[in-house]
Structure formats: structure tokens, C-alpha cells
Amino acid sequence: MEIEIWSDVMCPFCYIGKRHFEKALEQFAEKDSVRVTWKSYQLDPALKPEGEQNIYDYLAERKGISRQQSETMHERVVRMAEAAGLHYDFDKAIVANSFDAHRLSHLAAKHGLQDAMEERLFAAYFTEGKNIGDPETLVQLGAEVGLDENEIRGMLRSDAFSAGVKQDADEAAQLGARGVPFFVIDRKYGISGAQPVETFLRALDEAAKTGR
């Protein structure tokens, strides 16, 4: 079974969705036959790598709401994350362009380390307040999951995997994704959003029955 997950490292619901999906997968009878591929999707390609704005002001401007409303929305997301077993610290979050982080994920996929890389990037952004647009931060995070530092630096200095990141976004549009997370099972079943564990498990069971 092939499962593709369109996601952005700076999407709070993507990390929550990852946890819900993982819990469903643990209960899935045919989990050993599942292959997961992470696909790139940028919520805001226009962001700068430097991370100049805090997340509360960023969302307020993007959504046309007040700073207080933005803080309230983030508090709700923090509670959702806690229910999924995650700790979000938005006070430390650095809003930065995720394009190079997506390229790093593609590099990790080449070495069979993509899921570990995605997990590390999510934790770095949502819990540790690291700038996922900063090259040296990406080198450090990649090395932590087992990638070669020199290979990461070489990738970042080139345009390697740039076409792949853009192709993933184009595919998402073709499949009708209007946001992320977006889960696709065997290119037959689509699941949008950080759905409950039970929803993911039902979809996996249904796909397994259909595929027999």
C-alpha cells in the first residue's frame, strides 16, 4: 500500500495529522505492507528564509484578524497538539520559508530517512523554535538523523530537488488538494486535514479490502 502525505513543515495541523496517522497505522493489521512518502507543499512560498516576524503577527496579517484573535487561535491549536501527545511552543516559533526544508526532506528520502527527517523538522519548528529556513540549522538537523553534512551543504548550494518540490505542489493541485495535510492512499482515497485516528484507520481498512 502506497501512502503519500502532502505537508508543510510549518503547518501545525500537519504534525498533529502525522501523529494521528501513526497511531492508526500501529493498529492497522497490514501495516508492514505500507510505504509512506512525504510530499512537499508550501503554505506561503513568499516567506523569507530569515524569519523576520513572530507567528502571532504573521497569522493576524495573513488572515486579516487582530493579534488577540491570532493568539486565541494558536492557544486552541496548542491544546489540539497536547491531545495528540505533542508540545507546541508558538512563543519561540520562527516563521520562515520552508522551501529548503522540503529539499532536505527529498534528500533524506534518497537515503531512506525521510520520515525521520520530517519528524525532526516538525519538532525543530514547533517545539524548539529553530529557524527551518537557515542553512546551518538544516545541516545540523539533517546530520542528527544520519545525513552527511557535506552532502547537505552541497545540496543547499545547488538547486537539487527544487524541481521535485515544485512537482509535488503541482501534483497536489491536480489531485484537488486545497490545503494540507493531505493523505492519498494508492492514488484512490484522499483524506484532508488532521483527522481523528479512527478516520485514518477506517480508510486504511477500506483501502486494504478494495486492494485485495
Side-chain angles (χ1 to χ4, degrees):
M1 184 182 291
E2 175 76 23
I3 299 178
E4 298 161 289
I5 309 172
W6 274 265
S7 167
D8 194 355
V9 175
M10 56 178 292
C11 164
F13 302 107
C14 291
Y15 199 10
I16 294 168
K18 182 178 189 291
R19 274 296 179 275
H20 288 178
F21 170 73
E22 288 168 345
K23 289 175 182 176
L25 195 59
E26 287 172 7
Q27 303 172 49
F28 181 47
E30 300 180 35
K31 62 184 177 183
D32 291 339
S33 68
V34 172
R35 183 175 67 176
V36 176
T37 302
W38 288 87
K39 297 281 194 170
S40 303
Y41 187 103
Q42 280 194 284
L43 291 172
D44 189 352
L47 279 171
K48 296 179 180 179
E50 294 81 13
E52 298 174 349
Q53 198 173 29
N54 71 68
I55 200 164
Y56 304 116
D57 291 336
Y58 168 74
L59 188 71
E61 286 183 19
R62 188 169 169 81
K63 299 287 187 183
I65 59 177
S66 70
R67 161 84 183 220
Q68 181 58 52
Q69 287 173 306
S70 176
E71 290 179 3
T72 301
M73 288 175 68
H74 282 93
E75 286 167 7
R76 259 196 313 268
V77 175
V78 166
R79 290 194 293 272
M80 286 180 62
E82 285 176 352
L86 298 169
H87 173 67
Y88 282 9
D89 189 343
F90 285 121
D91 288 345
K92 294 196 299 188
I94 299 172
V95 182
N97 192 292
S98 61
F99 189 79
D100 282 343
H102 284 298
R103 292 205 294 140
L104 181 60
S105 177
H106 277 253
L107 175 63
K110 175 183 164 186
H111 295 281
L113 294 168
Q114 191 180 35
D115 195 72
M117 191 72 258
E118 288 285 332
E119 178 68 27
R120 188 66 194 92
L121 286 165
F122 277 129
Y125 180 78
F126 287 106
T127 303
E128 300 164 17
K130 293 185 182 293
N131 182 357
I132 50 87
D134 174 63
E136 279 307 308
T137 298
L138 293 176
V139 170
Q140 173 197 340
L141 297 175
E144 286 178 17
V145 303
L147 295 175
D148 180 75
E149 289 188 14
N150 290 328
E151 187 177 10
I152 300 169
R153 287 195 173 92
M155 181 272 292
L156 292 171
R157 285 194 297 265
S158 72
D159 64 351
F161 304 110
S162 295
V165 172
K166 292 169 184 173
Q167 182 181 337
D168 284 353
D170 290 342
E171 278 186 312
Q174 290 164 13
L175 290 168
R178 293 182 176 85
V180 285
F182 185 59
F183 299 76
V184 176
I185 305 175
D186 288 335
R187 288 290 170 115
K188 295 176 182 176
Y189 299 87
I191 306 169
S192 295
Q195 297 295 330
V197 175
E198 297 74 19
T199 302
F200 283 119
L201 187 56
R202 278 197 302 271
L204 288 168
D205 287 336
E206 184 63 31
K209 289 176 189 174
T210 307
R212 290 191 185 107

